[in-house]
Structures are given as structure tokens and as C-alpha cells.
Amino acid sequence: MATNLGSLETYKPHNNDLASPPNGTVSTIQKSTSSTTLASSESTLGSHLARRLLEVGVTDIFTVPGDFNLTLLDYLIAEPKLKNIGCCNELNAGYAADGYARSRGVGACVVTFSVGGLSVINAIAGAYSENLPVLCIVGGPNSNDFGTNRILHHTIGLPDFSQELRCFQTVTCHQAVVNNLEDAHEMIDTAISTALKESKPVYISISCNLAGIPHPTFSRQPVPFSLSPKLSNEIGLEAAVEAAAEFLNKAVKPVLVAGPKIRVAKAYEAFTELADKSAYAYAVMPSAKGLVPENHPHFIGTFWGAVSTSFCAEIVESADAYLFAGPIFNDYSSVGYSLLLKKEKSIIVEPNRVVIGNGLAFGCILMKDFLSALAKRIKRNNTSYENYHRIFVPGGLPQRFGPREPLRVNVLFQHIQNMLSSQTAVIADTGDSWFNCQKLKLPEGCGYEFQMQYGSIGWSVGATLGYAQAVPDKRVIACIGDGSFQVTAQDVSTMLRCGQKTIIFLINNGGYTIEVEIHDGPYNVIKNWNYTGLVDAIHNGQGKCWTTKVTCEEELVEAIATATGEKKDSFCFIEVITHKDDTSKELLEWGSRVCSANSRPPNPQ
């Protein structure tokens, strides 16, 4: 039994071909005689790779050209349904593929050998940590140079070309170095299928002289690309469900908590089914926000230890049984290892494994199968939600000040809350936006993404580019700190060139605020930029762009009205000036606890 992946009809790419030359300059590549010739050569490695990308749902590739991948790019852009998004640097191309994969289920970037590969590797490591299938495609050395004593440019000056491969082995689940045509078809298909099965990035290197050579294995009608579905062990599934049902049904006030690996397990619907049938109160871990509905009647917020949504941690940590679906317990999500949880009260459901309390463990069980089967065996028990409802006190509104008072962050996010709908998505950058965006109540259908496990400052710019390209029907609202923006600002250029209508709130408070609250020092202060002036310069009169700077609530209200009204079809950049010490109370608490965890003295030897 096989399941076909991807739909070529779901997302219709635009017909213009985009590419960017080296060194970050931008140009539009027009159809040429050579590209027409290329399009007619259908039995090549390059055309085969293009068809495979389309078949798994990739209609946009994020690229930076270099001499080793130029011919491959020719054959990829010759496929009319595959759109090339030329990025300003490889790091952003990788971040864009990460953001794209969060929406489409798989993303792809194409870079050149070594100088490109080693630049993109940080983004690929982030995708690995977040369980995202990203295809990192590298144009490699000429096949004739392998095994020789030649020294090539873009290398560290040694005749060994394996340095890049060795680096990628630790941050990808599969690596394919394609330097002959006979094995290319199988190697590419194996790499793509492994990325999808493992939900992790893969590395594919293709020798620069192979992309355009016809070969019989690259026929126009290849075997349809498919994956055999994973199946649960039925006996183990029944035993696990029986044990879990007994464990939960004897509890007085059990709760459910959704974790980030629900994405890997594709268990969103099964978790919601269990929440419906059980009537338990349910929460999300911070990195799972947006993966399950927040408009459910028994949703109680984000469980994040001491910085949880009000009254959420009290209900979860006081429960006598809790089921965590796909959790990741690290020092960030545990607030410096300070969660008040007990293993004997827990059921931990991994994508392929269930552990109950201190003992019983069941392998070869898919999370979605387990949750769905458990929903049919669970007794309805709304005690935990009734307890939450009993102690809940509605949150207050930010304190009001006089007219044209300096804008405060909590006021900013109150207005962002009012912008959200099923037609929007939120991207939260690493920093105080983590904590402020966690408090947003997401309407049904509103997307939400942030990178918590890897926590790479600057991730959001590229991820916003990729996510917006994947869902052109949604308006992306990105909340980005000034420190993060300085790392990856260049690809605002690519957003403009692609005609994206994103709204970026640039929160300018003069430094790396999240670092300040963990451990302060002069290194956390950054040079202030004229951010709106920078974006205006990048815009340079080409495309639809609107920028403004706000310092008070009145100006913010006016800016949002313009961005969502007159400029609703434009890229909008709103620089928000705030005080350097204006942070969420959650960051203050979280920062002190993470600082304490980081500064633990060595254990006695």
C-alpha cells in the first residue's frame, strides 16, 4: 500500500522566473533561447529533480547561485511550475526553506559547494532540531575531480572534497553525493523519501557537470514517487491503549498537553478528537502553539512552568495524571529545569512510542493511532477544566496613560491581537516576541510559527519570506526585534521582489533584550539603525512598500489602519520605538531561571 505525496494542483506558482546573481544583487532572468532548449531536454538529471520537487509539493525553491550550481539552476527554472526565489545569502535561503516547510510539509534550498553549503548549514541545523524536512541541494565539483589530487576553489585548499559532507552528516538524516548518472535517480529518490519519512533535512550534492546530460533513467514518465505508510503494531497498540485508559480513567483530575512533535506525527486531528471525547482541560507547550485549536472550549493556554498562561500551570502541575503528546523538555521549555511534574503521573506519547508512568513502554505505535484509539476508550471527565474555570480570573487591560505617551510593548500586542483572523499568520522571532506572542489568542485558522528548540536569533526574516511564499492567501505578521533584524535584514529585498504583503513590526529597543535578561553586558547593546530608511533604500521604488515609525499608541493605531486598509496589498514595515527595559514579565522570570540553570557550579569531582 502506498500513499502519494504532494499535490501539483494545490498551489499555482506565478509564471515569472526569479533569480539573483552572486553577491546579493538582484535581477530578473527572462526566458531565453537556451531555456527553451533546456525545457525540451526532459530526460536529464536536472529536469528529473525539478519534477520530483513538484511531486512532493515544492513549487518554490530558495537559491543563491554559484558557479557549481548554475547549470542545475538552469534546468530547475526550465520547469514552468517551479518558481526560483533568489535570496541574498545562503543563511536566509535555508531559513526560508525552513519557513516554507512549516506550511507545505517540505521545503528546498539550492546553494553552491562549500562556501554556500557551509553558509547554509546553520539554518539546516535549525530545521533538524525542529523536525522539518528540508532538501538542501548543493551544486558540487565536476565528477572528474573526485579521487584526484586536484585542489579546487571554494575549498579549504586540500584535495579532499568531503569536508562539507562530513559537516552535514551531523545535521541531516541522509546524505547523497551524486557524481555519476547511473546511480543518480535512486540516490535522489532515496534522499527525498528519507527526508519525508524521518521529517528531517537531507543533503544532496550534485556534480556540476551532470545536471544537463540526458540519461535513460530520467524518462519523462518515471515511476510515481510514493511512500509506504507507517503502521502501528496492532497488538502493541491495543495493549498501550488499554494501559493508558486504565491509568487515566482512575485519575480524578487528568489533563492533556500538546507538544511540538505533534507536527512530526501529523496527529493534530487525533489530539483534538481526544480532547473532545475526554473533556479534560488541555494546554500546549510553548513550541506547540498553533498546532492545535485554541478556540476549543477546554483550551486553557500555554504550559510553560513559571511563565505559563495565567492559571494554566496550576491546573497542569496539580493534576494527578497528565498526558503529554510529543513533548520536548529542554532547559528553555522547562524554564531552567523548574517544571513541577512527576514521572509517575505522566503518559508520554512520542511519534512512535508510548511510556506510561515509571514503567510500561510500548514501541512501534504511531501517535495518531494511539490518540485516536484512546479517545474511544476514555471516560469523560471535565474535573480539571471545572477547576480551571473555578479559579480563572480574566486578565486586565494595560494601564492607560495620557495622550502621546511613549508606546509600551503590552499595548503593541493588544493591538496585534485585534489584527488576527483566519487570514493571518504570526511569525515570532527569538527574543521577547516569544513571550508576548504566546499570549496572543489565535483565531481558528490563524497560523503561528517560532523556532524554540534551536533559538537562532535572525531566523524570522528568512522564515517569514518562506512561510509567506508558501501561503500567499494569508497575510503574515512578523514580530522581530532590532537585534534579530540586523542579522538577516537583507532578504526584505526578496519579499519585495516576490510581491509579498507581509507586515513586519520591528521592535526597536536598542539591543538583544532576551540576552540582557539572561546575562547583561555591553555586548548586548547594538548600533541603532534608521530601520525605515534602510527598508526604503532596499525598496528603491520597485514594488509595493510602505514604511513608518511609531512612538505612541495614537501613531500605532493610525499605522495599523493604513497597513490593513489603504496598504493592504503592500509590504508594510512598522518600526516600533520602545524603552530598552520594556519587557514582558514572563521574560523577566524566564531569564532569571535560565541564568540560574546556566550558572550552576560544577559538581564535586
Side-chain angles (χ1 to χ4, degrees):
M1 180 179 179
T3 302
N4 287 329
L5 296 169
S7 170
L8 304 189
E9 301 302 322
T10 303
Y11 297 97
K12 299 291 187 182
H14 299 293
N15 290 325
N16 56 313
D17 290 315
L18 300 175
S20 64
N23 303 320
T25 55
V26 175
S27 67
T28 301
I29 306 300
Q30 303 295 334
K31 292 286 187 181
S32 63
T33 304
S34 61
S35 67
T36 303
T37 303
L38 291 170
S40 64
S41 302
E42 297 174 343
S43 60
T44 62
L45 188 159
S47 58
H48 171 76
L49 178 59
R51 293 195 298 272
R52 284 307 199 214
L53 291 173
L54 288 172
E55 195 168 359
V56 298
V58 173
T59 57
D60 306 84
I61 52 172
F62 301 92
T63 71
V64 179
D67 59 332
F68 286 123
N69 71 8
L70 297 178
T71 301
L72 176 61
L73 288 176
D74 283 340
Y75 281 86
L76 293 177
I77 68 174
E79 169 53 63
K81 293 182 180 179
L82 189 63
K83 186 174 182 180
N84 183 50
I85 310 298
C87 297
C88 297
N89 59 53
E90 290 86 359
L91 179 61
N92 275 336
Y95 286 153
D98 170 312
Y100 192 91
R102 289 168 184 267
S103 175
R104 289 287 184 92
V106 60
C109 57
V110 185
V111 300
T112 195
F113 179 64
S114 199
V115 291
L118 298 183
S119 280
V120 79
I121 197 168
N122 184 56
I124 300 303
Y128 187 95
S129 75
E130 300 274 325
N131 299 291
L132 298 169
V134 171
L135 312 176
C136 182
I137 301 164
V138 176
N142 187 292
S143 62
N144 297 304
D145 291 326
F146 284 88
T148 68
N149 203 36
R150 294 169 179 160
I151 294 175
L152 293 182
H153 68 289
H154 289 342
T155 69
I156 58 174
L158 298 175
D160 177 6
F161 302 156
S162 67
Q163 180 204 15
E164 179 183 84
L165 170 64
R166 295 197 307 272
C167 291
F168 272 95
Q169 284 173 336
T170 59
V171 296
T172 57
C173 68
H174 183 86
Q175 307 81 38
V177 178
V178 181
N179 54 22
N180 71 82
L181 289 172
E182 286 71 22
D183 299 327
H185 186 291
E186 181 180 357
M187 294 177 75
I188 288 172
D189 284 7
T190 299
I192 294 174
S193 62
T194 303
L196 296 171
K197 286 188 290 187
E198 301 296 327
S199 198
K200 294 281 190 182
V202 295
Y203 166 84
I204 304 172
S205 173
I206 297 176
S207 289
C208 61
N209 60 325
L210 299 184
I213 300 176
H215 193 273
T217 59
F218 306 125
S219 64
R220 186 57 183 170
Q221 298 296 331
V223 175
F225 190 83
S226 63
L227 290 178
S228 297
K230 295 180 180 178
L231 299 174
S232 294
N233 179 297
E234 290 297 332
I235 296 175
L237 175 61
E238 175 60 28
V241 169
E242 182 177 352
E246 180 182 0
F247 185 91
L248 292 171
N249 286 337
K250 70 182 181 182
V252 177
K253 46 183 181 179
V255 297
L256 304 175
V257 183
K261 290 185 180 179
I262 275 187
R263 187 204 300 273
V264 182
K266 296 180 174 58
Y268 327 100
E269 294 179 359
F271 183 89
T272 306
E273 180 186 2
L274 179 59
D276 288 338
K277 296 290 180 61
S278 68
Y280 299 173
Y282 84 83
V284 295
M285 298 185 77
S287 49
K289 186 176 177 69
L291 297 182
V292 294
E294 296 190 3
N295 60 339
H296 191 282
H298 288 175
F299 177 72
I300 63 172
T302 300
F303 173 63
W304 200 353
V307 296
S308 298
T309 304
S310 297
F311 311 105
C312 178
E314 292 82 354
I315 295 301
V316 172
E317 292 180 340
S318 68
D320 55 347
Y322 18 74
L323 184 150
F324 281 82
I328 294 178
F329 295 111
N330 60 23
D331 52 336
Y332 274 13
S333 66
S334 68
V335 198
Y337 312 111
S338 64
L339 300 182
L340 302 178
L341 300 174
K342 294 183 178 179
K343 188 176 180 182
E344 62 267 21
K345 293 182 178 182
S346 68
I347 296 177
I348 306 297
V349 187
E350 298 291 346
N352 301 293
R353 175 180 167 87
V354 177
V355 180
I356 300 176
N358 281 322
L360 293 173
F362 303 87
C364 300
I365 296 170
L366 298 184
M367 182 191 294
K368 60 183 179 181
D369 293 344
F370 173 79
L371 296 179
S372 183
L374 181 60
K376 297 175 176 61
R377 300 278 293 274
I378 209 78
K379 291 180 181 177
R380 191 171 180 83
N381 182 347
N382 67 351
T383 303
S384 59
Y385 180 73
E386 288 297 319
N387 288 346
Y388 170 77
H389 188 67
R390 191 174 293 114
I391 67 173
F392 178 75
V393 178
L397 295 175
Q399 186 178 356
R400 306 297 298 184
F401 286 95
R404 308 201 72 79
E405 286 281 344
L407 184 61
R408 286 167 292 122
V409 171
N410 54 15
V411 173
L412 166 65
F413 280 90
Q414 181 187 14
H415 287 282
I416 291 176
Q417 174 69 69
N418 295 332
M419 300 172 67
L420 303 185
S421 71
S422 61
Q423 299 303 309
T424 61
V426 176
I427 303 291
D429 193 83
T430 303
D432 197 24
S433 291
W434 274 8
F435 302 91
N436 286 302
C437 287
Q438 279 294 328
K439 291 182 280 189
L440 296 173
K441 295 178 175 62
L442 302 180
E444 184 176 3
C446 180
Y448 184 91
E449 296 293 345
F450 80 129
Q451 188 197 57
M452 187 175 185
Q453 173 60 38
Y454 202 57
S456 184
I457 289 176
W459 162 87
S460 62
V461 176
T464 296
L465 164 65
Y467 192 94
Q469 194 63 30
V471 284
D473 56 324
K474 286 185 183 288
R475 194 159 199 200
V476 177
I477 299 170
C479 301
I480 306 176
D482 51 345
S484 297
F485 189 72
Q486 287 196 10
V487 179
T488 48
Q490 305 96 313
D491 271 287
V492 163
S493 169
T494 312
M495 297 178 196
L496 289 168
R497 195 163 46 126
C498 292
Q500 294 182 358
K501 53 186 180 180
T502 293
I503 301 174
I504 289 181
F505 286 96
L506 189 284
I507 303 169
N508 183 352
N509 56 10
Y512 297 113
T513 304
I514 192 169
E515 310 289 8
V516 168
E517 301 307 332
I518 296 175
H519 184 100
D520 200 6
Y523 30 76
N524 291 325
V525 179
I526 61 176
K527 170 73 172 66
N528 191 39
W529 291 1
N530 178 358
Y531 293 98
T532 54
L534 172 67
V535 174
D536 287 337
I538 292 173
H539 173 220
N540 198 26
Q542 298 174 338
K544 294 181 179 181
C545 177
W546 178 75
T547 67
T548 191
K549 184 179 298 187
V550 302
T551 60
C552 62
E553 185 176 10
E554 291 85 349
E555 292 173 350
L556 175 66
V557 170
E558 184 178 343
I560 291 175
T562 301
T564 56
E566 177 187 350
K567 300 296 182 180
K568 65 180 181 181
D569 293 323
S570 299
F571 172 85
C572 295
F573 184 89
I574 302 173
E575 181 182 354
V576 181
I577 308 299
T578 64
H579 192 278
K580 66 182 181 66
D581 294 323
D582 184 2
T583 65
S584 65
K585 69 180 184 65
E586 290 82 6
L587 175 55
L588 297 175
E589 174 78 24
W590 179 89
S592 63
R593 289 175 181 263
V594 171
C595 175
S596 178
N598 287 351
S599 58
R600 288 167 296 162
N603 291 326
Q605 299 299 312

